[in-house]
Protein backbone atom coordinates (compact mmCIF):
# COMPACT_ATOMS: atom_id res chain seq x y z
CA UNK A 1 0.00 0.00 0.00
CA UNK A 2 1.07 3.54 -0.67
CA UNK A 3 0.52 6.56 1.57
CA UNK A 4 1.31 10.23 1.03
CA UNK A 5 2.84 12.23 3.88
CA UNK A 6 3.82 15.88 4.31
CA UNK A 7 6.44 17.54 6.47
CA UNK A 8 5.25 19.05 9.72
CA UNK A 9 7.05 22.13 10.97
CA UNK A 10 5.36 22.74 14.31
CA UNK A 11 4.88 20.38 17.23
CA UNK A 12 3.18 20.51 20.60
CA UNK A 13 -0.36 20.11 21.92
CA UNK A 14 -1.70 23.37 20.52
CA UNK A 15 -0.15 22.87 17.08
CA UNK A 16 -1.50 19.30 16.87
CA UNK A 17 -4.99 20.45 17.86
CA UNK A 18 -5.02 23.12 15.14
CA UNK A 19 -3.73 20.55 12.65
CA UNK A 20 -6.61 18.15 13.41
CA UNK A 21 -9.15 20.96 12.90
CA UNK A 22 -7.88 21.34 9.31
CA UNK A 23 -8.42 17.61 8.61
CA UNK A 24 -4.81 16.47 9.05
CA UNK A 25 -3.35 13.94 11.47
CA UNK A 26 0.05 14.48 13.17
CA UNK A 27 2.51 11.60 12.85
CA UNK A 28 6.16 10.67 13.21
CA UNK A 29 8.64 8.46 11.34
CA UNK A 30 11.58 6.98 13.25
CA UNK A 31 14.15 4.18 13.07
CA UNK A 32 16.82 3.25 10.59
CA UNK A 33 19.79 5.52 10.00
CA UNK A 34 17.80 8.76 9.86
CA UNK A 35 16.58 11.05 12.59
CA UNK A 36 12.95 11.01 13.75
CA UNK A 37 10.88 13.16 11.42
CA UNK A 38 7.60 14.97 12.10
CA UNK A 39 5.00 14.44 9.40
CA UNK A 40 1.26 14.86 8.81
CA UNK A 41 -1.28 12.88 6.79
CA UNK A 42 -4.74 13.48 5.36
CA UNK A 43 -7.15 12.19 8.02
CA UNK A 44 -9.80 11.02 5.56
CA UNK A 45 -7.41 8.85 3.57
CA UNK A 46 -5.79 7.58 6.77
CA UNK A 47 -9.17 6.63 8.30
CA UNK A 48 -10.09 4.44 5.31
CA UNK A 49 -6.60 2.91 5.16
CA UNK A 50 -6.81 1.83 8.81
CA UNK A 51 -9.83 -0.36 7.98
CA UNK A 52 -7.70 -2.52 5.68
CA UNK A 53 -5.81 -5.48 7.14
CA UNK A 54 -2.82 -4.96 4.85
CA UNK A 55 -2.23 -1.48 6.32
CA UNK A 56 -1.47 -3.08 9.69
CA UNK A 57 0.57 -6.12 8.62
CA UNK A 58 2.55 -5.24 5.48
CA UNK A 59 5.36 -2.90 4.49
CA UNK A 60 4.01 0.45 3.30
CA UNK A 61 5.38 2.75 0.61
CA UNK A 62 5.49 6.27 2.02
CA UNK A 63 5.88 9.22 -0.35
CA UNK A 64 7.43 12.21 1.40
CA UNK A 65 8.82 15.26 -0.42
CA UNK A 66 8.93 13.33 -3.69
CA UNK A 67 10.94 10.46 -2.19
CA UNK A 68 9.64 6.95 -1.48
CA UNK A 69 10.61 5.00 1.62
CA UNK A 70 9.55 1.71 3.22
CA UNK A 71 7.80 1.99 6.59
CA UNK A 72 5.74 -0.10 9.00
CA UNK A 73 2.76 1.00 11.06
CA UNK A 74 3.75 0.79 14.73
CA UNK A 75 1.16 2.66 16.80
CA UNK A 76 -2.21 4.38 16.40
CA UNK A 77 -3.72 6.70 19.01
CA UNK A 78 -7.50 7.06 18.72
CA UNK A 79 -9.90 9.54 20.34
CA UNK A 80 -11.81 7.92 23.27
CA UNK A 81 -15.25 8.29 21.64
CA UNK A 82 -14.93 10.27 18.39
CA UNK A 83 -14.07 8.75 15.02
CA UNK A 84 -10.77 10.60 15.08
CA UNK A 85 -7.13 9.51 14.79
CA UNK A 86 -5.10 11.63 17.21
CA UNK A 87 -1.58 10.47 16.33
CA UNK A 88 0.18 7.74 14.38
CA UNK A 89 3.73 6.28 14.42
CA UNK A 90 5.70 4.70 11.57
CA UNK A 91 9.05 2.88 11.60
CA UNK A 92 11.53 2.92 8.74
CA UNK A 93 12.42 -0.44 7.25
CA UNK A 94 15.92 -1.54 6.26
CA UNK A 95 16.32 -4.39 3.78
CA UNK A 96 18.95 -6.26 5.83
CA UNK A 97 17.36 -5.86 9.27
CA UNK A 98 14.94 -8.51 10.52
CA UNK A 99 11.54 -7.35 11.67
CA UNK A 100 9.29 -8.37 14.54
CA UNK A 101 5.74 -8.14 13.28
CA UNK A 102 2.30 -9.56 14.09
CA UNK A 103 0.77 -11.36 11.11
CA UNK A 104 -2.93 -12.40 10.99
CA UNK A 105 -3.98 -16.03 10.53
CA UNK A 106 -6.56 -16.86 7.86
CA UNK A 107 -8.38 -20.10 8.74
CA UNK A 108 -10.33 -22.08 6.14
CA UNK A 109 -11.82 -25.54 5.54
CA UNK A 110 -13.12 -26.21 9.06
CA UNK A 111 -16.68 -26.74 7.75
CA UNK A 112 -15.40 -29.70 5.68
CA UNK A 113 -13.43 -31.34 8.49
CA UNK A 114 -14.56 -34.65 10.08
CA UNK A 115 -14.83 -32.91 13.47
CA UNK A 116 -17.41 -30.38 12.24
CA UNK A 117 -19.13 -32.26 9.42
CA UNK A 118 -19.49 -35.70 11.05
CA UNK A 119 -18.71 -35.59 14.78
CA UNK A 120 -20.84 -32.57 15.79
CA UNK A 121 -17.99 -30.29 16.93
CA UNK A 122 -17.00 -26.68 16.31
CA UNK A 123 -13.55 -25.17 15.67
CA UNK A 124 -12.64 -22.52 18.26
CA UNK A 125 -9.97 -20.14 16.88
CA UNK A 126 -7.90 -19.56 20.03
CA UNK A 127 -5.13 -17.55 18.27
CA UNK A 128 -5.87 -15.10 15.44
CA UNK A 129 -2.38 -13.70 14.82
CA UNK A 130 1.25 -14.70 15.28
CA UNK A 131 4.32 -12.62 16.06
CA UNK A 132 6.92 -13.45 13.42
CA UNK A 133 10.54 -12.59 12.77
CA UNK A 134 11.85 -12.24 9.21
CA UNK A 135 13.49 -9.95 6.67
CA UNK A 136 11.27 -7.28 5.08
CA UNK A 137 11.24 -9.13 1.75
CA UNK A 138 9.88 -12.30 3.43
CA UNK A 139 7.14 -10.63 5.48
CA UNK A 140 3.78 -12.21 4.53
CA UNK A 141 0.53 -10.27 4.50
CA UNK A 142 -1.16 -13.21 6.29
CA UNK A 143 -0.62 -16.93 6.95
CA UNK A 144 -3.09 -19.47 5.57
CA UNK A 145 -4.12 -22.35 7.84
CA UNK A 146 -6.09 -25.32 6.46
CA UNK A 147 -8.50 -26.89 8.99
CA UNK A 148 -10.04 -29.57 6.75
CA UNK A 149 -8.22 -32.33 8.67
CA UNK A 150 -9.53 -31.48 12.15
CA UNK A 151 -10.78 -34.43 14.20
CA UNK A 152 -12.59 -34.70 17.53
CA UNK A 153 -10.17 -34.54 20.45
CA UNK A 154 -7.24 -33.36 18.26
CA UNK A 155 -6.58 -29.59 18.52
CA UNK A 156 -4.34 -27.79 16.03
CA UNK A 157 -0.93 -26.73 17.41
CA UNK A 158 1.66 -24.31 16.07
CA UNK A 159 3.85 -27.22 14.95
CA UNK A 160 1.04 -28.33 12.59
CA UNK A 161 1.19 -25.07 10.58
CA UNK A 162 3.41 -24.71 7.52
CA UNK A 163 5.10 -21.28 7.71
CA UNK A 164 6.24 -19.27 4.66
CA UNK A 165 9.92 -19.48 3.71
CA UNK A 166 12.21 -17.31 5.85
CA UNK A 167 9.59 -16.77 8.56
CA UNK A 168 9.97 -17.92 12.16
CA UNK A 169 7.42 -17.52 14.96
CA UNK A 170 8.38 -15.73 18.17
CA UNK A 171 6.98 -17.78 21.08
CA UNK A 172 7.00 -16.69 24.69
CA UNK A 173 6.94 -19.54 27.19
CA UNK A 174 4.93 -22.20 25.37
CA UNK A 175 6.83 -23.27 22.24
CA UNK A 176 3.91 -25.19 20.73
CA UNK A 177 0.69 -23.38 21.69
CA UNK A 178 -2.80 -24.47 20.65
CA UNK A 179 -4.10 -22.38 17.75
CA UNK A 180 -7.49 -24.06 17.22
CA UNK A 181 -9.43 -26.10 19.77
CA UNK A 182 -12.06 -28.69 18.79
CA UNK A 183 -15.14 -28.42 21.01
CA UNK A 184 -18.30 -30.54 21.20
CA UNK A 185 -21.55 -28.64 20.62
CA UNK A 186 -23.85 -28.58 23.67
CA UNK A 187 -26.40 -31.39 23.43
CA UNK A 188 -24.61 -33.23 20.61
CA UNK A 189 -22.84 -35.59 23.03
CA UNK A 190 -26.10 -36.61 24.78
CA UNK A 191 -27.74 -37.28 21.41
CA UNK A 192 -24.82 -39.46 20.39
CA UNK A 193 -25.06 -41.47 23.65
CA UNK A 194 -28.79 -42.06 23.20
CA UNK A 195 -28.25 -43.19 19.64
CA UNK A 196 -25.57 -45.68 20.64
CA UNK A 197 -27.50 -47.12 23.69
CA UNK A 198 -28.65 -50.80 23.19
CA UNK A 199 -32.38 -51.42 22.53
CA UNK A 200 -34.38 -53.48 25.08
CA UNK A 201 -34.42 -57.26 24.46
CA UNK A 202 -37.84 -58.08 22.94
CA UNK A 203 -37.34 -61.84 23.40
CA UNK A 204 -36.85 -61.47 27.15
CA UNK A 205 -40.03 -59.39 27.41
CA UNK A 206 -42.06 -61.95 25.47
CA UNK A 207 -40.76 -64.82 27.64
CA UNK A 208 -41.75 -62.97 30.83
CA UNK A 209 -45.24 -62.30 29.51
CA UNK A 210 -45.71 -65.98 28.54
CA UNK A 211 -44.60 -67.14 32.01
CA UNK A 212 -47.13 -64.79 33.62
CA UNK A 213 -49.94 -66.11 31.41
CA UNK A 214 -49.06 -69.77 32.20
CA UNK A 215 -49.40 -69.37 36.00
CA UNK A 216 -52.73 -71.14 37.09
CA UNK A 217 -55.31 -69.04 38.88
CA UNK A 218 -56.53 -70.28 42.33
CA UNK A 219 -59.76 -72.37 42.27
CA UNK A 220 -62.85 -70.43 43.27
CA UNK A 221 -64.41 -73.46 45.02
CA UNK A 222 -61.55 -73.86 47.43
CA UNK A 223 -61.71 -70.18 48.22
CA UNK A 224 -65.40 -70.38 49.12
CA UNK A 225 -65.20 -73.68 51.14
CA UNK A 226 -62.95 -72.31 53.82
CA UNK A 227 -65.29 -69.54 54.97
CA UNK A 228 -68.26 -71.98 54.99
CA UNK A 229 -66.45 -74.39 57.31
CA UNK A 230 -65.56 -71.61 59.64
CA UNK A 231 -69.17 -70.46 59.93
CA UNK A 232 -70.67 -74.04 60.71
CA UNK A 233 -71.82 -74.30 64.42
CA UNK A 234 -70.09 -76.86 66.56
CA UNK A 235 -72.21 -80.01 67.68
CA UNK A 236 -73.66 -79.83 71.22
CA UNK A 237 -72.60 -82.59 73.68
CA UNK A 238 -75.54 -84.55 75.45
CA UNK A 239 -76.50 -83.14 78.83
CA UNK A 240 -75.62 -85.31 81.88
CA UNK A 241 -78.58 -86.75 83.92
CA UNK A 242 -78.96 -85.79 87.51
CA UNK A 243 -78.69 -88.64 90.06
CA UNK A 244 -82.02 -90.24 91.11
CA UNK A 245 -83.80 -89.10 87.97
CA UNK A 246 -86.27 -91.45 86.42
CA UNK A 247 -85.49 -93.14 83.17
Amino acid sequence: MKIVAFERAKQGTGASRRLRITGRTPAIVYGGTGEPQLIELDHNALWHALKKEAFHSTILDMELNGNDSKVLLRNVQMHPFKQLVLHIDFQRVEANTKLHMKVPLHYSGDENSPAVKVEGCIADHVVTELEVKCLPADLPEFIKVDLSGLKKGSPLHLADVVLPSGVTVVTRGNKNPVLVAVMMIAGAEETAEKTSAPAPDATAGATGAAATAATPAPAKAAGKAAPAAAKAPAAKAPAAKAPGAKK
Side-chain angles (χ1 to χ4, degrees), residues 95-119:
N96 299 324
T97 304
K98 287 192 174 184
L99 304 170
H100 283 259
M101 195 73 181
K102 288 186 177 180
V103 176
L105 297 173
H106 285 190
Y107 295 108
S108 63
D110 51 346
E111 67 278 2
N112 297 321
S113 65
V116 175
K117 197 171 184 180
V118 180
E119 297 167 333

Side-chain angles (χ1 to χ4, degrees), residues 9-231:
K10 296 181 180 180
Q11 59 178 326
T13 304
S16 296
R17 186 184 300 112
R18 289 189 292 271
L19 192 65
R20 296 186 192 103
I21 293 174
T22 63
R24 297 292 182 94
T25 300
I28 189 172
V29 183
Y30 59 85
T33 56
E35 294 292 326
Q37 187 173 7
L38 300 176
I39 61 172
E40 59 187 62
L41 302 112
D42 179 72
H43 183 273
N44 234 15
L46 177 61
W47 179 261
H48 290 291
L50 284 169
K51 296 180 180 180
K52 299 179 181 179
E53 185 181 69
F55 190 75
H56 298 262
S57 59
T58 59
I59 298 174
L60 308 173
D61 294 319
M62 177 180 285
E63 181 184 339
L64 179 62
N65 296 332
N67 299 320
D68 290 340
S69 58
K70 304 289 186 183
V71 298
L72 281 173
L73 175 65
R74 281 308 187 192
N75 187 43
V76 180
Q77 184 181 354
M78 302 292 298
H79 193 277
F81 56 89
K82 294 182 181 179
Q83 293 186 350
L84 180 66
V85 184
L86 298 177
H87 195 274
I88 191 165
D89 297 354
F90 295 98
Q91 179 186 354
R92 297 186 187 96
V93 173
E94 295 181 346
N96 299 324
T97 304
K98 287 192 174 184
L99 304 170
H100 283 259
M101 195 73 181
K102 288 186 177 180
V103 176
L105 297 173
H106 285 190
Y107 295 108
S108 63
D110 51 346
E111 67 278 2
N112 297 321
S113 65
V116 175
K117 197 171 184 180
V118 180
E119 297 167 333
C121 300
I122 58 172
D124 181 18
H125 302 167
V126 180
V127 178
T128 57
E129 61 182 10
L130 292 174
E131 184 178 352
V132 302
K133 182 179 180 181
C134 62
L135 291 172
D138 297 328
L139 181 65
E141 182 179 344
F142 55 85
I143 297 175
K144 290 184 178 181
V145 182
D146 183 17
L147 301 179
S148 59
L150 282 181
K151 294 181 180 180
K152 180 181 176 181
S154 301
L156 183 80
H157 291 81
L158 176 60
D160 302 324
V161 177
V162 179
L163 299 174
S165 177
V167 176
T168 57
V169 177
V170 179
T171 56
R172 307 182 187 281
N174 188 0
K175 294 184 179 180
N176 191 27
V178 173
L179 304 184
V180 178
V182 181
M183 304 177 64
M184 175 70 75
I185 300 175
E189 190 170 356
E190 295 179 3
T191 304
E193 289 178 358
K194 290 180 180 178
T195 305
S196 61
D201 191 349
T203 306
T207 304
T212 304
T215 303
K220 294 183 178 180
K224 291 180 179 179
K231 291 179 181 179

